[in-house]
Amino acid sequence: DAGITQSPRYKITETGRQVTLMCHQTWSHSYMFWYRQDLGHGLRLIYYSAAADITDKGEVPDGYVVSRSKTENFPLTLESATRSQTSVYFCASSESGGPSYEQYFGPGTRLTVT
Amino acid sequence: RKEVEQDPGPFNVPEGATVAFNCTYSNSASQSFFWYRQDCRKEPKLLMSVYSSGNEDGRFTAQLNRASQYISLLIRDSKLSDSATYLCVVFQVSGGGADGLTFGKGTHLIIQP
């Protein structure tokens, strides 16, 4: 059982390039999330999705685009990568969006923007 | 945005000892509380939820103090495998609902042999 997977696991890209991070979950969870984790910060929410074709902004959405055409996939695109977007990106999913839900995280993508 | 504060540590603790750390939150309307564990360069994983009456899971005990707005995690008989970063996570009511989780920066725990 794969659970939640992310690809690529490591990515180096140049400033100004577009890059897409993939997230796939096999549990049919309704909710999916993208976070970034940087030194000196806790996990910060970029975007989330309550269902296919429903997405909403989190705390730090600028410079990112998401889509969710299928329940199981939630790609994150950096339209024009900047050095400040160098980070570890985690995708997560959960059954529901209520206050008692557990989020299951993918293994992360380490992105370096040069 | 409302804050969740943790002592970053590191806490260096000998194997077999008891260690405790706290987390404070600023939003008194916070509804749910969790401890997540994150191993080095890995993804966070839920350790335990924190209930109003306090709860225990094996060597781990979590407490909630709503009046003082803090939660605590106590680890008894610590093992080398307990070395990790412990993230305090609070669900705070916000407009969208599902974006209500706020993560602390984590407390780094090192268990020494």
Side-chain angles (χ1 to χ4, degrees), chain A residues 6 33-46 59-60 87-92 103 105-106 108, chain B residues 1-2 4 6 36-38 42-45 85-90 99-106:
Chain A
Q6 293 183 234
F33 306 82
W34 274 107
Y35 293 90
R36 61 179 290 173
Q37 187 174 38
D38 306 288
L39 280 175
H41 293 275
L43 283 155
R44 292 182 291 173
L45 183 65
I46 304 171
E59 182 184 355
V60 288
S87 187
V88 180
Y89 291 86
F90 288 103
C91 179
Q103 291 193 3
F105 287 82
Chain B
R1 187 168 180 90
K2 302 299 184 181
V4 175
Q6 295 184 252
Y36 276 70
R37 171 193 168 127
Q38 185 172 25
K42 297 282 184 70
E43 72 273 22
K45 293 182 180 178
T85 297
Y86 291 84
L87 307 178
C88 174
V89 184
V90 175
D99 61 341
L101 278 190
T102 298
F103 288 77
K105 297 175 185 178

Side-chain angles (χ1 to χ4, degrees), chain B residues 36-98:
Chain B
Y36 276 70
R37 171 193 168 127
Q38 185 172 25
D39 293 300
C40 186
R41 303 176 77 85
K42 297 282 184 70
E43 72 273 22
K45 293 182 180 178
L46 180 67
L47 178 66
M48 57 196 305
S49 302
V50 186
Y51 303 124
S52 297
S53 56
N55 49 299
E56 188 174 305
D57 183 1
R59 298 182 293 108
F60 297 84
T61 300
Q63 296 280 351
L64 168 63
N65 186 315
R66 283 193 182 272
S68 299
Q69 294 184 202
Y70 75 83
I71 67 173
S72 63
L73 180 67
L74 177 80
I75 306 174
R76 291 181 299 277
D77 188 23
S78 54
K79 313 291 185 189
L80 295 176
S81 57
D82 294 333
S83 297
T85 297
Y86 291 84
L87 307 178
C88 174
V89 184
V90 175
F91 186 91
Q92 305 174 116
V93 176
S94 63

Side-chain angles (χ1 to χ4, degrees), chain A residues 21-25 31-34 47-49 54-56 66-76 91-92:
Chain A
L21 310 183
M22 304 301 293
C23 178
H24 176 78
Q25 52 106 354
Y31 282 79
M32 296 188 75
F33 306 82
W34 274 107
Y47 270 95
Y48 69 100
S49 169
I54 301 174
T55 62
D56 212 339
V66 294
S67 62
R68 192 154 176 222
S69 57
K70 293 184 178 181
T71 300
E72 61 266 31
N73 296 323
F74 191 38
L76 175 74
C91 179

Side-chain angles (χ1 to χ4, degrees), chain B residues 6-13 19-21 83-86 106-112:
Chain B
Q6 295 184 252
D7 183 340
F11 284 53
N12 288 283
V13 175
V19 60
F21 28 85
S83 297
T85 297
Y86 291 84
T107 295
H108 188 38
L109 175 64
I110 300 171
I111 306 299
Q112 297 174 328

